[in-house]
Amino acid sequence: MKNKQAEMVKRMSDKELLYHLYMSQLLFFLVAAVLAFFLFEGWDDFLILLEWDIQEIFIIGSLVGVAVVVIDLILMKYVPRELMDDGGINEKMFQKRSTLHIIALALLIATVEELLFRGVIQTHFGIWIASFIFAIMHIRYLHKWLLLISVILLSFLLGYLYEWTENLLVTIWAHFIIDVLLALKIRSEYVKKTNGEVSEGYENRDE
C-alpha cells in the first residue's frame, strides 16, 4: 500500500492532485449533509452546534491548534524522518501553493471534516466511532505507526474539545490552525530551498 500510494502521488500532476483533494472534500460534505438530514430533527438542531463565541473559538481553539503544531514540530526534529514521512503527499500538495490558496484549502478541509466527523458522526455515534473513522479516512497514515497514532490522538483531542465546548466552531478553528501552520511551514521550506538553489546556481555561474 505504501509504495502504491507513493507512486500514484508521484505520477499525479499538480492539477490532478488538487482535483482529488477537492473531490474528496465535496464527497465528505455531501455525506455530512445527507447524514445530517436523516439524523437531526431539523437544520436548527444542527446549526445550534455552531455557536459564535469569540473567546472559545479564537482563544481556546488557537491554543489547542498551536500546541498540536508545536508537538508536531518537536517530533519532526527528533524523530527519524522515515517515521514522519507520508509519502510526500503533503509536500506535493502545499509546497507550490500561494499563501492565500493554502489558507483557503486549510479552511475548506477543517470545515468539511469537522462538520462530518464531529458535527454529525460524533454527535450521534460517539467519540470512539468518529475517531476510528477519521483515522481510516487518513489512509496514507495506515502504514506509518507513529503517524497513525498521531492522527488518532488528534481526533480524540478534537473530539474532547468538541465535547467540552459543545461548539463545532472551536474544533473547526483549531483544525484550521493546525493545517494552515503546517502547510505554510512546508511552503516556507520549499521557498527557502528553491531560493538557495537559485543563489547557488548564480554563484557557480559567476566562478
Side-chain angles (χ1 to χ4, degrees):
M1 181 184 295
K2 172 184 174 182
N3 293 332
K4 274 188 176 181
Q5 191 175 44
E7 287 303 315
M8 284 175 62
V9 171
K10 288 178 182 178
R11 288 197 299 266
M12 282 184 189
S13 67
D14 186 67
K15 288 184 178 180
E16 288 174 331
L17 192 61
L18 194 60
Y19 171 80
H20 282 286
L21 173 63
Y22 281 125
M23 287 299 101
S24 66
Q25 295 306 309
L26 176 60
L27 177 61
F28 286 169
F29 178 76
L30 291 176
V31 170
V34 170
L35 289 177
F37 178 80
F38 287 105
L39 295 175
F40 288 90
E41 293 185 4
W43 291 114
D44 289 340
D45 290 334
F46 179 75
L47 294 176
I48 201 173
L49 302 177
L50 304 165
E51 183 180 352
W52 184 254
D53 186 318
I54 294 178
Q55 181 175 350
E56 282 189 344
I57 297 168
F58 296 112
I59 296 180
I60 297 176
S62 296
L63 287 174
V64 171
V66 170
V68 170
V69 171
V70 169
I71 293 172
D72 208 46
L73 293 177
I74 292 173
L75 289 175
M76 290 179 187
K77 184 174 182 179
Y78 294 105
V79 170
R81 182 178 178 84
E82 58 270 16
L83 294 180
M84 299 295 291
D85 182 18
D86 70 341
I89 296 177
N90 286 333
E91 283 77 9
K92 189 166 183 178
M93 178 61 68
F94 295 113
Q95 63 186 5
K96 296 182 181 180
R97 307 277 171 231
S98 68
T99 299
L100 286 178
H101 198 178
I102 286 175
I103 292 172
L105 286 174
L107 186 59
L108 171 67
I109 293 168
T111 301
V112 171
E113 291 190 357
E114 291 306 308
L115 286 175
L116 174 59
F117 294 107
R118 249 60 64 180
V120 177
I121 297 177
Q122 182 172 327
T123 297
H124 288 86
F125 302 103
I127 189 172
W128 285 92
I129 300 246
S131 297
F132 176 75
I133 297 177
F134 184 81
I136 293 299
M137 290 297 101
H138 290 75
I139 190 171
R140 66 184 183 276
Y141 296 149
L142 295 184
H143 61 273
K144 295 285 187 176
W145 66 267
L146 184 57
L147 289 176
L148 180 59
I149 291 174
S150 297
V151 78
I152 291 174
L153 290 177
L154 174 60
S155 185
F156 274 106
L157 175 62
L158 293 174
Y160 282 120
L161 182 62
Y162 173 54
E163 289 192 353
W164 176 40
T165 62
E166 297 182 340
N167 188 351
L168 198 56
L169 289 178
V170 178
T171 64
I172 290 174
W173 181 253
H175 194 152
F176 166 75
I177 291 294
I178 295 166
D179 286 355
V180 76
L181 290 182
L182 292 176
L184 288 174
K185 177 182 179 294
I186 291 172
R187 181 183 186 276
S188 176
E189 290 177 345
Y190 175 77
V191 170
K192 287 180 181 178
K193 180 181 177 182
T194 303
N195 290 340
E197 290 174 352
V198 171
S199 299
E200 185 178 342
Y202 279 118
E203 290 175 1
N204 292 337
R205 192 166 61 183
D206 294 336
E207 291 178 354

